[in-house]
Amino acid sequence: MNNYTNTIEVKTTVNKAYQSLTHQIPFWWTDMFEGASAQIGDVFTIRFGADIYKTMKVKEAIPDTKVIWYVEDSLIALPELKNQTEWIGTTIVWEIEPDGENIQIKVTHLGLSPNIECYDICSNGWVQFLGSLKLFLETGTGTPYKAK
């Protein structure tokens, strides 16, 4: 299975990148954030309006190196999707590596593959929010989804 993966190069430190994935999700992904995301066992829910949400559990958190989230619950209530719960049971792996003066942040979404229905929508979403993460880390201001 080809899982979704993407790597961004960011002019920041590994610690700032780690903090953005564990303590600062509302600043780059969505300001509709509930719960905690800093430690193993923490559970958080992100929302994109009333019809899309994901609830994740932190499975691994290795400071400045790796964060793993397991998707416990999800709904992508878009009329074009027949299966609106495809994220349930998937795993999101974040890896942070120094690269000279920059760092590499790699995301691998295990279970998000081209043969599932939401792949195009979801992979485009990842591109959008990885861009927001890069902006947040380099300028202090990301472009997260904002509640209306």
Side-chain angles (χ1 to χ4, degrees), residues 35-85:
S37 55
Q39 300 175 30
I40 293 171
D42 282 355
V43 175
F44 64 96
T45 299
I46 57 169
R47 295 182 186 281
F48 301 88
D51 300 326
I52 300 174
Y53 70 86
K54 290 116 174 59
T55 299
M56 297 183 247
K57 181 177 225 170
V58 179
K59 298 302 265 181
E60 198 169 321
I62 303 169
D64 303 346
T65 305
K66 185 188 271 187
V67 178
I68 298 178
W69 301 329
Y70 176 77
V71 182
E72 294 188 330
D73 194 14
S74 172
L75 179 68
I76 306 170
L78 298 173
E80 63 267 32
L81 295 179
K82 289 185 192 80
N83 184 349
Q84 300 181 345
T85 59

Side-chain angles (χ1 to χ4, degrees), residues 21-32:
L21 298 172
T22 55
H23 292 86
Q24 299 169 322
I25 292 168
F27 297 106
W28 61 270
W29 204 355
T30 174
D31 67 358
M32 298 177 77

Side-chain angles (χ1 to χ4, degrees), residues 113-133:
S113 63
N115 63 340
I116 70 167
E117 193 180 7
C118 83
Y119 184 80
D120 289 341
I121 294 167
C122 294
S123 59
N124 287 331
W126 275 124
V127 169
Q128 176 185 344
F129 292 112
L130 286 168
S132 176
L133 175 59

